[in-house]
Amino acid sequence: MKKFLAILLSAVMVMSCVAALAEEIPDNVESADGTYAVAMVTDVGQLHDKSFNEGTWNGAKAYASENGLTYKYYQPANGNEATDDDRIAAFQQAVDGGAKAVVAPGFMQATALTEAAIANPDVKFIFIDGWPLTDAEGNVLPNVAAISFQEEQAGYLAGYAVVKEGFTKLGFSGGGGGTNTAVDKYGWGFAQGANAAAAELGITVELKYTWQFGASFSASPDLQTMMSGWYETGTEIVFACGGSIFDSIAAAASANDGFVVGVDVDQSFLSETVVTSAMKGIKEASYAGFESAFGDWTMGGNLTVLGANENAVGLPTETWSLENFSVEEYENLLAAIKDGTVAVDGTDMQEDAVANAGLSNVNVIYE
């Protein structure tokens, strides 16, 4: 575990050479013997979603490439409508294809991953945004390593920053329909950070908050229309929190002179509308999970929770376009979160819970 955390401390948020080059590693390689030791089973959405799937895959590719291993990704049948049976079949494809370790991003993988891990005890599985899995008798599966993040801290930093920047009419559009823990925590953290900054400034800000049209984490005309309506009626910046829904929100922002907060990875290169991104070290966690799987496997059967103290969440100071909120102020806030001076609540606030949280300086409008 210490080795794992050391990797993150040196790599997360400052992009190691391997991670920086991950996007340049080809997605498909030919194996001489037809087997692929490193595998990934994708979550909903596209492989290249510029977010969660892609970040996880880049970590897997980087580890495999650096260590001379073959690698392959597997996408469950039926796309965003995939069932647990579809996911189980994809896991088994990976195992039958020679996988020694498989990474599975996303909470929706849990049921299928449990069955796959029980059926294949000699294969190691890495559950990103997950938790320890158990068999029918309640025994923790030792061949599953769970990694989760304190997304609320990243969301807090983003919410605080944009209000300090001068934005007073905010939006949050979340994927997963309000039942995805990671997205729930991002949104709740964003609201808390906005509230803290507004309180310091002695103002009240508006936060429109919705889960509509984001359940599948996919771009949609309906979502773009809704976001255009927000921007047209005064919303200045929207936290686009959920894979490919970013595309719809960025398109609406671009058409209406609005702005966007990205998620999971630095999304500034995707659109000029992106002011900053609430980031977590997905690539690095995936990479380190494989290092443990092909090494001492101290992560097996355990939950590793990563946050500010592991340098695993933050904002991309080198690429953000913030002008009124300084890097020094950001670093001071991050340090305060690390030492506990600023406490960020990590409650899984589902659906309309944020609207009913009684924030002192944020008027939450739930739609």
Side-chain angles (χ1 to χ4, degrees):
M1 185 64 68
K2 289 182 179 179
K3 185 177 182 182
F4 171 68
L5 294 178
I7 293 168
L8 286 165
L9 286 167
S10 63
V12 174
M13 317 314 275
V14 294
M15 296 299 180
S16 68
C17 292
V18 171
L21 296 174
E23 294 84 349
E24 301 174 11
I25 300 170
D27 289 330
N28 300 293
V29 295
E30 290 295 328
S31 168
D33 63 2
T35 65
Y36 299 87
V38 168
M40 169 179 160
V41 173
T42 63
D43 193 12
V44 294
Q46 306 170 19
L47 176 68
H48 289 291
D49 59 1
K50 309 298 190 298
S51 184
F52 197 60
N53 277 325
E54 187 164 351
T56 303
W57 181 229
N58 284 339
K61 289 192 300 180
Y63 179 81
S65 179
E66 186 181 88
N67 291 278
L69 299 172
T70 52
Y71 55 90
K72 187 173 182 177
Y73 68 90
Y74 299 81
Q75 294 180 294
N78 297 311
N80 291 333
E81 303 300 321
T83 65
D84 285 331
D85 286 341
D86 294 327
R87 296 186 182 94
I88 290 168
F91 280 116
Q92 198 57 50
Q93 272 187 289
V95 173
D96 293 343
K100 303 299 182 184
V102 183
V103 66
F107 79 109
M108 295 179 70
Q109 308 264 32
T111 299
L113 179 52
T114 299
E115 184 162 331
I118 292 172
N120 302 280
D122 294 330
V123 178
K124 298 179 176 69
F125 295 88
I126 304 156
F127 189 14
I128 305 288
D129 268 7
W131 55 90
L133 301 178
T134 60
D135 61 20
E137 287 72 42
N139 301 305
V140 173
L141 299 176
N143 60 330
V144 178
I147 304 174
S148 68
F149 297 86
Q150 292 178 284
E151 292 91 355
E152 69 278 4
Q153 294 178 341
Y156 186 100
L157 290 165
Y160 186 96
V162 298
V163 171
K164 284 288 190 174
E165 179 68 9
F167 293 103
T168 60
K169 292 187 179 298
L170 321 178
F172 170 84
S173 179
T179 61
N180 179 295
T181 296
V183 180
D184 295 345
K185 293 195 297 180
Y186 267 131
W188 175 223
F190 186 71
Q192 291 178 75
N195 189 67
E200 290 178 12
L201 294 170
I203 62 175
T204 297
V205 301
E206 175 185 285
L207 174 59
K208 288 186 176 179
Y209 206 93
T210 189
W211 301 107
Q212 291 190 60
F213 310 120
S216 67
F217 295 89
S218 299
S220 75
D222 288 334
L223 178 59
Q224 185 171 335
T225 297
M226 182 180 189
M227 292 297 105
S228 291
W230 280 15
Y231 286 117
E232 289 168 1
T233 55
T235 299
E236 300 163 327
I237 188 166
V238 176
F239 187 5
C241 193
S244 295
I245 71 172
F246 172 90
D247 296 335
S248 298
I249 298 168
S254 181
N256 293 279
D257 297 321
F259 297 95
V260 176
V261 174
V263 74
D264 287 342
V265 298
D266 181 1
Q267 295 187 313
S268 61
F269 67 98
L270 296 176
S271 171
E272 294 182 353
T273 66
V274 175
V275 171
T276 189
S277 299
M279 297 169 56
K280 61 184 184 182
I282 299 170
K283 281 192 296 189
E284 293 77 15
S286 175
Y287 182 99
F290 280 109
E291 179 154 84
S292 182
F294 285 93
D296 55 20
W297 195 230
T298 54
M299 293 174 63
N302 296 311
L303 171 63
T304 302
V305 181
L306 305 173
N309 283 318
E310 292 76 37
N311 293 336
V313 298
L315 306 181
T317 57
E318 292 186 0
T319 61
W320 74 19
S321 59
L322 298 169
E323 297 179 353
N324 300 321
F325 182 63
S326 69
V327 173
E328 181 180 3
E329 289 174 302
Y330 164 73
E331 290 176 345
N332 289 338
L333 177 60
L334 185 59
I337 292 175
K338 288 181 177 182
D339 68 23
T341 304
V342 171
V344 185
D345 181 24
T347 302
D348 182 354
M349 300 287 270
Q350 297 190 352
E351 299 179 334
D352 64 346
V354 170
N356 297 316
L359 296 170
S360 61
N361 291 71
V362 176
N363 178 27
V364 180
I365 302 170
Y366 181 72
E367 296 188 1

